[in-house]
Amino acid sequence: MNLIQKLALVACLALTGEARPNPSPSSLSGREAAIIVEPTMYQIFPISPTQFAPPVTQLEVLRAGGVSVLENIVIFEGIPSDAQTCILRWEQAAKPERTEFVVARNGLLAAQQLSGLPEGDITWANMLPIVEEAIEQRRPLLHPETTGWVAIETQQVHIAGYVDCAETMIFKIQADDRDTDGIVYLEQDAHNGLTLEIH
């Protein structure tokens, strides 16, 4: 979907209603906290299950016509093996330092923690068995809420919730299907986007 199509979709929704993880410590001494930013991001497409795309930098999900069109696979790497507490968060910088951030209609997200990645390409079809396994195992499912936060001008840190620690942590992010259609787009850098707090 090109930029013009995305902007057109955002306008319609409004009217109707190379990626890199930052270096992290190899261990946590004295239970100090560390924050990992800029996870590796892949886009997956439920309506085009075998479509593969290279990593992107933005968080971007889309639900239209009651269908999830665009979802993300999020990969945080380099978590210390002795991490005991892990918290998924998202951050927005103060307005002057903020990256592109768009929310139209539903900004409620669903973040499902996953146990791994597929052997082949990261596509919706290849991820589906892993997602189904996570649901069966009742792995953490969180609901970050981005609705209304675009208008806030100050720096904010939002807590999505506690997740199971691992040296590599993987999540699937989509627009929550219990609400209306919507789009969320957040370009990520060291001060904007998904983050992982570890202790």
Side-chain angles (χ1 to χ4, degrees), residues 10 12 21 30 47-48 64 70 85 95 98 126 144 146 148 170 180:
V10 169
C12 289
I47 60 173
S48 182
L70 172 60
T85 303
K95 203 75 167 181
R98 191 167 302 164
N126 287 344
T146 66
I170 302 152
T180 58

PDB file of all heavy atoms in Angstrom, residues 10 12 21 30 47-48 64 70 85 95 98 126 144 146 148 170 180:
ATOM      1  N   VAL A  10      -6.831   6.788   5.583  1.00  0.00           N
ATOM      2  CA  VAL A  10      -6.938   7.538   6.834  1.00  0.00           C
ATOM      3  C   VAL A  10      -8.049   8.574   6.724  1.00  0.00           C
ATOM      4  O   VAL A  10      -8.872   8.738   7.628  1.00  0.00           O
ATOM      5  CB  VAL A  10      -5.595   8.208   7.198  1.00  0.00           C
ATOM      6  CG1 VAL A  10      -5.790   9.201   8.333  1.00  0.00           C
ATOM      7  CG2 VAL A  10      -4.580   7.157   7.600  1.00  0.00           C
ATOM      8  N   CYS A  12     -10.659   8.501   4.741  1.00  0.00           N
ATOM      9  CA  CYS A  12     -11.952   7.804   4.712  1.00  0.00           C
ATOM     10  C   CYS A  12     -12.366   7.361   6.107  1.00  0.00           C
ATOM     11  O   CYS A  12     -13.520   7.519   6.510  1.00  0.00           O
ATOM     12  CB  CYS A  12     -11.881   6.599   3.781  1.00  0.00           C
ATOM     13  SG  CYS A  12     -11.792   7.053   2.038  1.00  0.00           S
ATOM     14  N   PRO A  21      17.540  -3.366  16.576  1.00  0.00           N
ATOM     15  CA  PRO A  21      17.406  -3.236  18.017  1.00  0.00           C
ATOM     16  C   PRO A  21      18.634  -2.519  18.566  1.00  0.00           C
ATOM     17  O   PRO A  21      19.733  -2.733  18.085  1.00  0.00           O
ATOM     18  CB  PRO A  21      17.353  -4.688  18.509  1.00  0.00           C
ATOM     19  CG  PRO A  21      18.057  -5.463  17.454  1.00  0.00           C
ATOM     20  CD  PRO A  21      17.877  -4.712  16.153  1.00  0.00           C
ATOM     21  N   GLY A  30      22.519  -5.825  39.978  1.00  0.00           N
ATOM     22  CA  GLY A  30      21.767  -5.110  41.008  1.00  0.00           C
ATOM     23  C   GLY A  30      20.330  -4.845  40.623  1.00  0.00           C
ATOM     24  O   GLY A  30      19.722  -3.916  41.111  1.00  0.00           O
ATOM     25  N   ILE A  47      -4.934 -10.706   4.471  1.00  0.00           N
ATOM     26  CA  ILE A  47      -5.666 -10.843   3.211  1.00  0.00           C
ATOM     27  C   ILE A  47      -4.750 -11.273   2.066  1.00  0.00           C
ATOM     28  O   ILE A  47      -5.208 -11.547   0.967  1.00  0.00           O
ATOM     29  CB  ILE A  47      -6.409  -9.543   2.838  1.00  0.00           C
ATOM     30  CG1 ILE A  47      -5.430  -8.369   2.679  1.00  0.00           C
ATOM     31  CG2 ILE A  47      -7.470  -9.216   3.886  1.00  0.00           C
ATOM     32  CD1 ILE A  47      -6.077  -7.101   2.157  1.00  0.00           C
ATOM     33  N   SER A  48      -3.470 -11.314   2.321  1.00  0.00           N
ATOM     34  CA  SER A  48      -2.497 -11.815   1.342  1.00  0.00           C
ATOM     35  C   SER A  48      -1.492 -12.671   2.113  1.00  0.00           C
ATOM     36  O   SER A  48      -0.353 -12.263   2.357  1.00  0.00           O
ATOM     37  CB  SER A  48      -1.799 -10.644   0.636  1.00  0.00           C
ATOM     38  OG  SER A  48      -0.900 -11.100  -0.347  1.00  0.00           O
ATOM     39  N   ALA A  64      -9.969  -2.624   8.216  1.00  0.00           N
ATOM     40  CA  ALA A  64     -10.947  -1.943   7.365  1.00  0.00           C
ATOM     41  C   ALA A  64     -12.017  -2.930   6.945  1.00  0.00           C
ATOM     42  O   ALA A  64     -11.727  -4.095   6.663  1.00  0.00           O
ATOM     43  CB  ALA A  64     -10.264  -1.350   6.134  1.00  0.00           C
ATOM     44  N   LEU A  70      -3.514  -5.281   7.780  1.00  0.00           N
ATOM     45  CA  LEU A  70      -2.076  -5.164   7.999  1.00  0.00           C
ATOM     46  C   LEU A  70      -1.777  -5.339   9.479  1.00  0.00           C
ATOM     47  O   LEU A  70      -2.379  -4.661  10.324  1.00  0.00           O
ATOM     48  CB  LEU A  70      -1.571  -3.802   7.513  1.00  0.00           C
ATOM     49  CG  LEU A  70      -0.125  -3.421   7.819  1.00  0.00           C
ATOM     50  CD1 LEU A  70       0.855  -4.406   7.198  1.00  0.00           C
ATOM     51  CD2 LEU A  70       0.164  -2.005   7.334  1.00  0.00           C
ATOM     52  N   THR A  85      11.940  -9.512  35.061  1.00  0.00           N
ATOM     53  CA  THR A  85      10.687  -8.805  34.805  1.00  0.00           C
ATOM     54  C   THR A  85      10.798  -8.084  33.476  1.00  0.00           C
ATOM     55  O   THR A  85      11.770  -7.367  33.240  1.00  0.00           O
ATOM     56  CB  THR A  85      10.389  -7.782  35.919  1.00  0.00           C
ATOM     57  OG1 THR A  85      10.360  -8.461  37.178  1.00  0.00           O
ATOM     58  CG2 THR A  85       9.065  -7.083  35.693  1.00  0.00           C
ATOM     59  N   LYS A  95       6.124  16.898  21.430  1.00  0.00           N
ATOM     60  CA  LYS A  95       5.751  17.262  20.065  1.00  0.00           C
ATOM     61  C   LYS A  95       6.930  17.647  19.174  1.00  0.00           C
ATOM     62  O   LYS A  95       7.029  17.160  18.039  1.00  0.00           O
ATOM     63  CB  LYS A  95       4.724  18.400  20.105  1.00  0.00           C
ATOM     64  CG  LYS A  95       3.872  18.511  18.875  1.00  0.00           C
ATOM     65  CD  LYS A  95       2.824  17.429  18.812  1.00  0.00           C
ATOM     66  CE  LYS A  95       1.796  17.733  17.744  1.00  0.00           C
ATOM     67  NZ  LYS A  95       0.739  16.717  17.668  1.00  0.00           N
ATOM     68  N   ARG A  98       8.751  14.481  18.062  1.00  0.00           N
ATOM     69  CA  ARG A  98       7.913  13.337  17.721  1.00  0.00           C
ATOM     70  C   ARG A  98       8.052  12.961  16.251  1.00  0.00           C
ATOM     71  O   ARG A  98       8.160  13.800  15.376  1.00  0.00           O
ATOM     72  CB  ARG A  98       6.448  13.640  18.033  1.00  0.00           C
ATOM     73  CG  ARG A  98       5.555  12.415  17.957  1.00  0.00           C
ATOM     74  CD  ARG A  98       4.204  12.670  18.569  1.00  0.00           C
ATOM     75  NE  ARG A  98       4.341  13.070  19.964  1.00  0.00           N
ATOM     76  CZ  ARG A  98       3.364  13.652  20.650  1.00  0.00           C
ATOM     77  NH1 ARG A  98       2.204  13.904  20.065  1.00  0.00           N
ATOM     78  NH2 ARG A  98       3.563  13.976  21.911  1.00  0.00           N
ATOM     79  N   ASN A 126       2.790 -18.272   7.523  1.00  0.00           N
ATOM     80  CA  ASN A 126       3.817 -18.970   8.300  1.00  0.00           C
ATOM     81  C   ASN A 126       3.719 -18.665   9.798  1.00  0.00           C
ATOM     82  O   ASN A 126       4.120 -19.488  10.626  1.00  0.00           O
ATOM     83  CB  ASN A 126       5.206 -18.611   7.777  1.00  0.00           C
ATOM     84  CG  ASN A 126       5.506 -19.258   6.439  1.00  0.00           C
ATOM     85  OD1 ASN A 126       4.831 -20.192   6.015  1.00  0.00           O
ATOM     86  ND2 ASN A 126       6.523 -18.748   5.753  1.00  0.00           N
ATOM     87  N   PRO A 144      -2.540  -2.346  24.185  1.00  0.00           N
ATOM     88  CA  PRO A 144      -2.099  -0.940  24.210  1.00  0.00           C
ATOM     89  C   PRO A 144      -3.148  -0.050  23.538  1.00  0.00           C
ATOM     90  O   PRO A 144      -3.711  -0.415  22.511  1.00  0.00           O
ATOM     91  CB  PRO A 144      -0.793  -0.967  23.392  1.00  0.00           C
ATOM     92  CG  PRO A 144      -0.385  -2.402  23.339  1.00  0.00           C
ATOM     93  CD  PRO A 144      -1.644  -3.204  23.424  1.00  0.00           C
ATOM     94  N   THR A 146      -3.838   3.538  21.799  1.00  0.00           N
ATOM     95  CA  THR A 146      -3.217   4.737  21.214  1.00  0.00           C
ATOM     96  C   THR A 146      -4.237   5.821  20.878  1.00  0.00           C
ATOM     97  O   THR A 146      -3.857   6.933  20.535  1.00  0.00           O
ATOM     98  CB  THR A 146      -2.446   4.377  19.922  1.00  0.00           C
ATOM     99  OG1 THR A 146      -3.363   3.945  18.907  1.00  0.00           O
ATOM    100  CG2 THR A 146      -1.414   3.294  20.182  1.00  0.00           C
ATOM    101  N   GLY A 148      -6.436   8.885  20.743  1.00  0.00           N
ATOM    102  CA  GLY A 148      -6.422  10.189  21.403  1.00  0.00           C
ATOM    103  C   GLY A 148      -5.055  10.713  21.773  1.00  0.00           C
ATOM    104  O   GLY A 148      -4.904  11.908  22.058  1.00  0.00           O
ATOM    105  N   ILE A 170       9.095 -11.927  20.996  1.00  0.00           N
ATOM    106  CA  ILE A 170       8.382 -11.731  19.741  1.00  0.00           C
ATOM    107  C   ILE A 170       6.908 -11.461  20.042  1.00  0.00           C
ATOM    108  O   ILE A 170       6.305 -12.120  20.901  1.00  0.00           O
ATOM    109  CB  ILE A 170       8.526 -12.975  18.840  1.00  0.00           C
ATOM    110  CG1 ILE A 170      10.012 -13.242  18.590  1.00  0.00           C
ATOM    111  CG2 ILE A 170       7.769 -12.804  17.523  1.00  0.00           C
ATOM    112  CD1 ILE A 170      10.336 -14.683  18.341  1.00  0.00           C
ATOM    113  N   THR A 180     -13.989  -0.885  16.409  1.00  0.00           N
ATOM    114  CA  THR A 180     -14.266  -0.513  15.027  1.00  0.00           C
ATOM    115  C   THR A 180     -12.993  -0.564  14.185  1.00  0.00           C
ATOM    116  O   THR A 180     -11.902  -0.805  14.679  1.00  0.00           O
ATOM    117  CB  THR A 180     -14.830   0.916  14.981  1.00  0.00           C
ATOM    118  OG1 THR A 180     -13.872   1.803  15.598  1.00  0.00           O
ATOM    119  CG2 THR A 180     -16.135   1.003  15.740  1.00  0.00           C
TER     120      THR A 180
END
